[in-house]
Amino acid sequence: MQKIIISSSSFILSEHPLWEVLKSKFTLDFSFVGNFSKSLLKKNEKNALNVCILFANDFLDENLSIYLNDNEVKKICNPIVELISVRNNFSQNPLIIGLAYDPIKNLLNSVYQITAIQKIFNYLQRQINKVQKKNRNIYFINLDLSFSYYGYAKIFDRRNFYLANSRISVEGLEILIRDLGLVLNRIYKPSKKLLILDCDNTLWGGIVGEEGIEHIKLGQDGIGKAFLNFQKTIKLLSNQGILLAISSKNNEKDVLNIFEKHESMQIKKNDIINFKINWDEKYKNILKISKELDLGLDSFVFWDDNPFERDKIKKNLPEVLTVEPNDDVVHWPDQLKELTELSKFSVTKEDEIKVKQYKIRSKFVTEKRKFSDEIYYLKSIKLKATRINIDESNITRAVQMTQKTNQFNLRTIRYTNDEINKIANQKKNISFLVKLKDIYGDHGIISLLLAKKLDNKSIFIDTLLISCRVLGRNLGTWVLRELKNMASKLGYENIYAEYIETNKNIICKSFYQNHNFEEIKKNKYDFEKKYKLNIKGKIYKLNLKYLNIEAASVYD
């Protein structure tokens, strides 16, 4: 279980039962609560994650002055910022920083001047953001956004402060834990990939089959504006790499007519990766979408105004996240923006062109079915793979793939930026990303290999993954061929590999056997002990000269 070390500039009721929601998923260590500097400067054990909750009020004697000039603010805050920077010089463990403040509740005092507490908060926020840009393992939580939304009077508790040195109330603690849980969940679990939408009374008001394109509610006035803004929010998600699909019980011609001709439609036909417009049960259509796109049901979000349809999806496809929309459509844009399952820390170039890439995938699958000779077909599409080094420009993509790729992922190990950096920068390890092009277009970065040195003669494949949207192109064999060439130059003779089976990566179950690897059974324990590896699946070994790379000939 992942260990989380939590510290704070003041106590945060660490014994309260509310923490149980996180304790069920993580091992929490509050040993440094009240002494955040000691926590940050301690060299933590491997893979532990630091959480530091800072209250701006803790860095100022509020009774001295409610105002500070800029130099005084810097004098107070710079040691804290320096502490955070120093911490990242010796620790590559992820760090979550939460920042909040209890404002002075006197309107007249703040008419012309920003109070000292607010100045400290603002300065710390700016400086932490600057440090964050240079260190990808830092995650910043602006707790003030949540605290101000729910109301400072409810969040901060003077009695708790004087009795237990804790500035926040139980309600405040609940919100802090919720926000912390959201960030932790996204660090260790990828966002959903596909938003499936109904049409009538979801993308527009009214039923197109009864009212016609002229009378549906979608535009600049009244309730039509709410549907318009809902579509704008959907479009924003699409631009950030969330795929869109339609599942609607309707006449296909009527729906496509709106997509193509209604001047207020914000979502265009080309924004949709898959249409299922018919009178079949929606859960059956969603199963077809899953199969056609090679995406797991647990990466889907379903949005439909009809509670009857939602209940059927919940019953038949419990893996799909079925949203319960607010009864009033005016709240839908905000509800969709606040849907954390679709939220990301960052957006990569691959995210921005994902719709196009999945359409390419669909066309590839359709064309491939027409050929009986797979090798002939693959050679005909002029595959070109390119090995690229891992650096600051692409490491976010590397991390994203370890978090999201499930089907062709031999070990399914999730990594952070700094964990990948550590592997990539270690001498005699082999690591690279792969870009792919063919006649269908540029697929971008779609594969990652991380291989670790075991000894002077042996190397271990730590991670080998390929994005599902380019499966069926023998790319795994090409990656092994590149590994063989690089490993041979470094003097390696043997390759070890592990396959950890999950309910999603059955597709690559025979990958190593198909390339002449042999499973180690009798000496598995000795192998673990010798190289200090924690083997959870099947372990394989191969002498480099016997590697079967024939399938990579389609790239020649």
Side-chain angles (χ1 to χ4, degrees), residues 42 207 243 300 469 550:
K42 181 179 183 295
I207 301 173
L243 303 173
F300 290 5
R469 67 174 183 264
E550 182 180 352

Side-chain angles (χ1 to χ4, degrees), residues 126-272:
R126 291 195 303 271
Q127 297 305 311
I128 292 171
N129 286 155
K130 289 180 181 179
V131 176
Q132 184 184 27
K133 289 179 181 179
K134 298 177 182 178
N135 299 275
R136 294 181 181 273
N137 62 329
I138 292 180
Y139 303 85
F140 175 69
I141 308 176
N142 186 349
L143 292 168
D144 186 60
L145 294 177
S146 296
F147 287 179
S148 60
Y149 178 83
Y150 289 99
Y152 295 118
K154 293 182 179 179
I155 300 300
F156 292 96
D157 190 323
R158 288 293 179 183
R159 181 172 293 276
N160 276 353
F161 178 66
Y162 289 115
L163 294 179
N165 197 27
S166 176
R167 292 192 176 274
I168 56 176
S169 64
V170 172
E171 289 180 80
L173 179 66
E174 185 174 9
I175 294 168
L176 186 154
I177 292 172
R178 184 207 65 183
D179 287 1
L180 178 57
L182 289 173
V183 175
L184 286 169
N185 185 62
R186 183 56 70 249
I187 290 174
Y188 295 107
K189 186 178 180 180
S191 60
K192 304 291 185 182
K193 294 181 179 179
L194 178 72
L195 175 60
I196 304 174
L197 297 153
D198 178 40
C199 289
D200 290 335
N201 290 314
T202 298
L203 289 181
W204 53 78
I207 301 173
V208 63
E210 296 179 1
E211 302 173 36
I213 187 173
E214 304 87 359
H215 300 292
I216 62 170
K217 298 178 179 66
L218 180 65
Q220 300 299 320
D221 300 315
I223 202 69
K225 188 173 183 179
F227 284 106
L228 182 79
N229 287 336
F230 181 57
Q231 284 199 25
K232 286 182 177 179
T233 304
I234 295 169
K235 180 71 174 182
L236 178 64
L237 289 174
S238 176
N239 292 338
Q240 294 172 351
I242 299 299
L243 303 173
L244 306 179
I246 297 294
S247 179
S248 174
K249 289 184 178 180
N250 227 315
N251 293 317
E252 185 176 37
K253 185 177 179 181
D254 291 338
V255 171
L256 294 181
N257 190 40
I258 291 179
F259 272 91
E260 294 169 354
K261 298 181 179 180
H262 199 292
E263 62 181 13
S264 293
M265 281 292 290
Q266 303 299 300
I267 304 170
K268 305 301 182 183
K269 186 178 177 181
N270 286 338
D271 294 322
I272 307 299

Side-chain angles (χ1 to χ4, degrees), residues 348-404:
T348 65
K349 292 181 180 179
E350 281 72 20
D351 288 326
E352 295 171 355
I353 58 173
K354 191 168 288 184
V355 172
K356 180 181 178 180
Q357 291 172 332
Y358 269 92
K359 285 185 176 180
I360 290 173
R361 166 69 181 168
S362 180
K363 188 174 181 180
F364 167 78
V365 172
T366 301
E367 292 296 319
K368 188 177 180 182
R369 288 171 180 165
K370 298 178 183 179
F371 288 80
S372 57
D373 187 336
E374 181 178 321
I375 298 298
Y376 174 79
Y377 169 68
L378 291 177
K379 286 185 176 181
S380 74
I381 65 174
K382 299 179 181 179
L383 291 160
K384 180 175 177 57
T386 305
R387 187 181 78 221
I388 57 178
N389 295 328
I390 298 173
D391 58 30
E392 284 300 307
S393 70
N394 54 42
I395 192 168
T396 298
R397 174 59 179 163
V399 173
Q400 187 183 67
M401 286 194 294
T402 69
Q403 297 290 335
K404 288 187 174 184

Side-chain angles (χ1 to χ4, degrees), residues 5-12 30 32-37 39 51-55 58-59 98 165-168 176:
I5 300 173
I6 301 176
S7 59
S8 175
S9 58
S10 61
F11 283 86
I12 47 177
F30 292 93
F32 297 105
V33 173
N35 191 348
F36 73 94
S37 59
S39 174
V51 174
C52 187
I53 308 299
L54 303 178
F55 295 94
D58 291 328
F59 306 107
N165 197 27
S166 176
R167 292 192 176 274
I168 56 176
L176 186 154

Side-chain angles (χ1 to χ4, degrees), residues 85-144:
S85 299
V86 169
R87 181 262 183 195
N88 280 278
N89 291 334
F90 65 79
S91 176
Q92 297 302 312
N93 295 341
L95 169 62
I96 297 175
I97 301 174
L99 183 61
Y101 77 111
D102 183 5
I104 294 175
K105 303 168 185 69
N106 186 321
L107 175 64
L108 297 180
N109 282 340
S110 61
V111 169
Y112 288 111
Q113 298 192 57
I114 298 176
T115 63
I117 300 300
Q118 190 175 354
K119 274 193 170 184
I120 290 174
F121 175 87
N122 292 343
Y123 185 82
L124 281 175
Q125 180 180 358
R126 291 195 303 271
Q127 297 305 311
I128 292 171
N129 286 155
K130 289 180 181 179
V131 176
Q132 184 184 27
K133 289 179 181 179
K134 298 177 182 178
N135 299 275
R136 294 181 181 273
N137 62 329
I138 292 180
Y139 303 85
F140 175 69
I141 308 176
N142 186 349
L143 292 168
D144 186 60

Side-chain angles (χ1 to χ4, degrees), residues 273-286:
I273 191 68
N274 197 297
F275 284 94
K276 289 289 178 286
I277 308 169
N278 50 46
W279 299 100
D280 294 342
E281 288 293 341
K282 291 191 176 184
Y283 76 87
K284 292 182 180 179
N285 281 328
I286 291 175

